[in-house]
Amino acid sequence: MPTTRRGFLGATLALAMNGWRPAAAAGTRVTLERLQPGVYVARAGNAEVARANAAEVVPTLVHLSGAGVLVVDPGPQAAWGGALLGAIRALTPQPVRWVVNTHAHPENVLANAAFARLRPRPVFLASAATAALMRQRCAACLARMATLLGSGTMRGAAIVLPEPALQPDGWLHTGATAWQVQVYANAHSASDTVLYAPRLQLLCAGGLAYRERVPEMHEASLQGWRRALRRLQELPARTVVGTAAGTPAQTLAPTLAYLDALAHGIGAALAAGSDASRANDAVAAVPFRHWRHFQSRHPLNVQRAWRELEDLWMQGEPLA
C-alpha cells in the first residue's frame, strides 16, 4: 500500500525529533481513529493472532494529554510500533511520555521496543504482576511469535520490560487527565490492568472486553473474568477500548453475556449430573454463533470453563 503524504510527513517529523527512523516494514500502516478530542485508537484486526495479520490485532489507545502522549498496549512488533509512532507524529509534536502494558500477551507488549529508542525515552508502566509475568514469559513469547509470524515480521524485536509502578486503586496522572488504576488477578489473564479516566468517561479495558468475537480463554478464569466485568459495568464510561473499541453496550455487556451463558449452562448441567462429553449441548450459544472464531474457539472455551466449574462445584462453591 503506498504511503500517504500525511504518513510521510509524520514519519519525517518523527525522524527529525527523535533521531530514529521507525523500523516499519513495507506495507505497514497504522490509522488512528478519533474517539473524542485528544483520544484516538489505532485500528487493528478484530481477530486472533495469525501470520496473515502479523499479530496486528490490538487497538492501541493514544491520548494526547497536552503534557505528552500516553500509549496503551503499543502492539506486537517493531514495524507496527514504528508505523504507530509515525501516525502519532502526524497528529502532534508532543513527546510520547507514557507507555502502559495492560497484560503480558505478546501482541500487546512486543512493540515496546519501537518506543524505547525515543529520546527522551518514555516511561514504561505496568502492574507489579504484569511486569513479573513479562519478565518470566517475554523471551519465550518472542521466540514463539518469530516462529508464527516469520523472522521478517519480527525484525527489530526486542524485549523492553515495564516498571512495576501501577498500583491497584491508584492513579496515573497524564497532564490534566487522571486515570484510575484497577488490577484484576485471574480474569482474562493472570493479571489484567484497567485504566479509567472519569473526566473523559473513557475505559481502557485491555483484554477484558471483546466485540463480536469469541473471547480467548486459554489462561482465563471464567469466574474471575465475570467478576471483573461486573465491576467495570458500574463505571460511568461512554467509551471502552478493549480488544475492540465501542460503547459499554457493545463490549462489556456482550462479553459478560457470553461468559454468563457458559457459567449458567455448565452449572445447570453439573447439577443435573451431566458430564463433559455433553458440555457443548449445555451452553445456550445461539446468540453468539455469528461472532468471529465461534467454530474454532467456542468448543475450547466450553471445555476450559467446564474444568474450572466442575472443580468449584465439587468443592461446593456457588457457580452463579
Side-chain angles (χ1 to χ4, degrees):
M1 183 179 295
T3 305
T4 64
R5 175 178 173 81
R6 182 185 179 102
F8 174 80
L9 290 174
T12 303
L13 180 58
L15 175 62
M17 293 184 63
N18 299 291
W20 171 67
R21 183 180 299 279
T28 301
R29 181 179 179 181
V30 173
T31 299
L32 291 176
E33 178 182 352
R34 183 178 180 272
L35 299 181
Q36 56 178 281
V39 179
Y40 298 82
V41 66
R43 293 180 185 172
N46 186 16
E48 294 188 9
V49 171
R51 182 179 287 260
N53 58 37
E56 294 167 0
V57 297
V58 174
T60 304
L61 177 74
V62 174
H63 174 45
L64 314 184
S65 73
V69 180
L70 166 70
V71 174
V72 182
D73 288 336
Q77 24 84 358
W80 170 269
L84 173 60
L85 179 59
I88 292 170
R89 288 294 179 248
L91 291 174
T92 179
Q94 296 178 39
V96 177
R97 290 190 57 193
W98 308 273
V99 177
V100 170
N101 298 140
T102 64
H103 58 288
H105 285 179
E107 63 269 29
N108 295 74
V109 306
L110 290 180
N112 281 3
F115 292 85
R117 300 171 184 173
L118 294 175
R119 295 295 179 269
R121 191 179 192 268
V123 59
F124 293 84
L125 300 169
S127 71
T130 292
L133 287 165
M134 288 177 64
R135 187 175 298 278
Q136 295 167 14
R137 298 177 177 180
C138 272
C141 287
L142 179 56
R144 284 196 299 270
M145 289 286 271
T147 299
L148 174 63
L149 304 181
S151 57
T153 299
M154 296 305 292
R155 185 179 296 113
I159 298 168
V160 177
L161 297 174
E163 298 179 18
L166 298 181
Q167 301 297 322
D169 301 318
W171 292 86
L172 171 64
H173 294 274
T174 58
T177 304
W179 301 82
Q180 182 187 25
V181 178
Q182 297 183 11
V183 180
Y184 296 94
N186 299 319
H188 154 262
S189 71
S191 178
D192 293 282
T193 299
V194 170
L195 300 179
Y196 174 64
R199 183 175 67 86
L200 305 176
Q201 293 187 287
L202 174 63
L203 175 65
C204 187
L208 289 166
Y210 279 64
R211 181 173 179 177
E212 295 191 340
R213 176 157 65 98
V214 174
E216 198 280 316
M217 296 183 63
H218 175 69
E219 63 169 328
S221 163
L222 174 63
Q223 298 296 72
W225 198 341
R226 294 170 70 207
R227 286 191 293 269
L229 287 173
R230 289 190 189 115
R231 183 174 173 188
L232 295 184
Q233 284 189 315
E234 297 173 357
L235 297 172
R238 289 182 298 158
T239 305
V240 178
V241 178
T243 61
T247 66
Q250 294 169 325
T251 56
L252 300 179
T255 305
L256 180 57
Y258 173 80
L259 299 178
D260 281 347
L262 289 177
H264 296 157
I266 292 171
L270 287 168
S274 188
D275 59 40
S277 66
R278 304 188 64 181
N280 283 336
D281 298 333
V283 178
V286 171
F288 316 105
R289 289 186 181 276
H290 67 286
W291 285 8
R292 295 185 184 190
H293 309 300
F294 179 87
Q295 296 297 330
S296 59
R297 178 57 54 189
H298 176 67
L300 298 175
N301 288 348
V302 172
Q303 294 300 319
R304 173 70 180 83
W306 184 283
R307 290 194 298 271
E308 177 183 342
L309 295 184
E310 185 176 43
D311 287 344
L312 294 175
W313 180 74
M314 293 179 69
Q315 297 169 25
E317 296 288 336
L319 305 184

